[in-house]
Amino acid sequence: MRQPCVLLKYGELALKGRNRGRFEQQLLDNVRRSVAGLGPGVRVRRRRGVIVLSAPGRPGLHAELVARAREVIGVSVVQPALRVDRTPEAAAAAAVELARGARPDRSVPRFAVRARRRQKDFPLTSGELAALIGAEIGTELGWPVDLSTPDVEVAVEVDRREIFVAVERHHGRGGLPVGCSGRALALLSGGYDSPVAAHRAMRRGLACDFVHFTGAPLTGPSSAYKAYALVRRLARYQGEGRLWLIPLGHAQRELALVGAGSLHVVAQRRLMVRAADRLARRHGAQALVTGDSLGQVSSQTLSNLATVEDVATLPLLRPLLAWDKEEIMAEARRLGTAEISRLPDEDCCTLLAPRRVATRTTPGSLARLEQRLDVEATVENLLTKARLLHVAPEEEDVQDDAAGLADDIPARGDDADAPSAVAAS
Ligand code: ATP
Ligand code: MG
């Protein structure tokens, strides 16, 4: 047996205690989902502390398996490896082959062999096995051993039915498997911050649903398209995502009519949070996530954050609270959301909002303003107009709601009574 495969490992620290089984099962499910689009022949096996990916008979897929494994949240190390018979000779032959192909910088590289037995019933100890393989590499390739700073490191792992040998080692995404912490509803604007915030939530094990408020019917569909594209990109990291589109335009006009003035932006944020909170409860999410960063803009002073949070009944999580804008931008570029966030749109937040934003608000002052509208009816009305889209990950060539979206979002000025994602009723 000589089978190329990919080993996926997860951080031991995260695995203390009773959560281990759930963590491992969730990760296994997520890995399966991430390779499901690659067609038949991909195998996902579970060993103690390791997930093993292979595609027997489809060697062309190997690089793609490595790439996908590196994207799965919860995987901390990815090692392309050879799976061989459970004998010292087979392990030594594989080690020589992989070491020879390793191409280190130095012409006569120094190497080390690190052997481990996950199953202890092997005839050699780890030390004996490493010595035997080391001697073989020394003889075949003429390389000297250096156990402290080797150029090439050969990892040998004895399992119950096979031995895995690897020389390459890549960092994975790390974090906790998406889903093992529960479900959250992320408030997604068209900006740079909220997609990064949602990704941070995913990295702590939260599966995310999304809600985006558009300015419809006062604005066109561009922000809905952006939200859709962002969810599609983020779905790479967690699989299909649900996106609710809610037209906020009428409610914004009401706020302007009752004279919200400098409280407009905070009042509008409270409406969003109220609607999102109710939506989350109806659809099984246990928390809300926003892209707020303390002090980034005037709507995000501590008192404004507190005034907005006041209307949430679920925990309101702000993963970027202490991040600088530059850090957020760098992460957005790394995730591939920056190129979408950069696109122009008609942001509902600036619609009808006066230039001056109150930086010190209290729940009381907002409650007084809100008495001038029927908040309960306004929120219910928003939820009635919510339109749900199921969004599949970007790279997968599967049918989803994208085609329907194009048909359903009317250009501004179109018949507002037509059934649509963003036109108000
Ligand atoms: P972002 O870059 O995410 O737009 P921002 O720095 O522009 O954030 P704000 O516009 O004050 O900040 O929004 C703060 C947070 O409120 C956003 O990160 C997002 O979670 C939520 N939010 C703002 N506008 C919308 C919207 N139209 N739909 C859904 N959520 C929104
Ligand atoms: Mg914004």
Side-chain angles (χ1 to χ4, degrees), residues 189-194 269 296-297 300 325 347 349:
S189 68
Y192 290 94
D193 305 337
S194 40
R269 233 6 91 62
Q296 193 193 79
V297 289
Q300 295 173 18
K325 193 73 187 183
D347 182 4
C349 292

Side-chain angles (χ1 to χ4, degrees), residues 6-8 66 69-70 75-80 168-172:
V6 186
L7 306 181
L8 284 62
V66 173
R70 295 184 69 181
V75 173
S76 57
V77 171
V78 176
Q79 292 173 290
E168 269 181 77
R169 183 185 172 91
H170 306 284
H171 282 294

Side-chain angles (χ1 to χ4, degrees), residues 24 55 86 98 104 113 122 169-170 188 340 363:
E24 289 182 329
R86 201 169 182 267
L98 290 178
V113 178
F122 196 64
R169 183 185 172 91
H170 306 284
L188 192 69
I340 303 166

Side-chain angles (χ1 to χ4, degrees), residues 223-374:
S223 81
Y225 281 121
K226 273 176 79 173
Y228 181 86
L230 286 168
V231 174
R232 205 160 146 76
R233 173 63 54 96
L234 289 169
R236 264 198 203 177
Y237 304 105
Q238 69 159 20
E240 186 176 283
R242 292 187 290 184
L243 167 64
W244 279 274
L245 294 172
I246 300 185
L248 195 66
H250 282 311
Q252 289 175 288
R253 193 151 51 194
E254 276 181 61
L255 278 177
L257 286 175
V258 299
S262 66
L263 298 181
H264 188 104
V265 172
V266 174
Q268 165 180 310
R269 233 6 91 62
R270 276 164 62 104
L271 282 181
M272 288 184 189
V273 167
R274 279 194 167 97
D277 193 88
R278 226 169 267 190
L279 198 61
R281 287 191 175 277
R282 283 180 196 171
H283 297 279
Q286 299 118 15
L288 303 177
V289 173
T290 71
D292 291 308
S293 160
L294 182 61
Q296 193 193 79
V297 289
S298 44
S299 58
Q300 295 173 18
T301 59
L302 189 55
S303 76
N304 283 348
L305 294 182
T307 300
V308 171
E309 188 171 304
D310 181 61
V311 297
T313 68
L314 291 171
L316 198 162
L317 309 179
R318 298 179 169 111
L320 306 185
L321 188 83
W323 287 40
D324 296 340
K325 193 73 187 183
E326 294 78 58
E327 293 173 305
I328 297 171
M329 298 292 288
E331 180 75 345
R333 283 191 289 270
R334 216 173 57 75
L335 296 176
T337 54
E339 63 197 55
I340 303 166
S341 297
R342 188 183 304 124
L343 301 171
D345 67 3
E346 291 176 281
D347 182 4
C348 78
C349 292
T350 47
L351 198 69
L352 303 174
R355 203 168 295 208
R356 207 174 78 73
V357 177
T359 51
R360 280 195 217 168
T361 58
T362 59
S365 60
L366 267 291
R368 277 191 294 282
L369 167 68
E370 285 162 357
Q371 275 166 7
R372 296 182 223 153
L373 352 136
D374 187 344

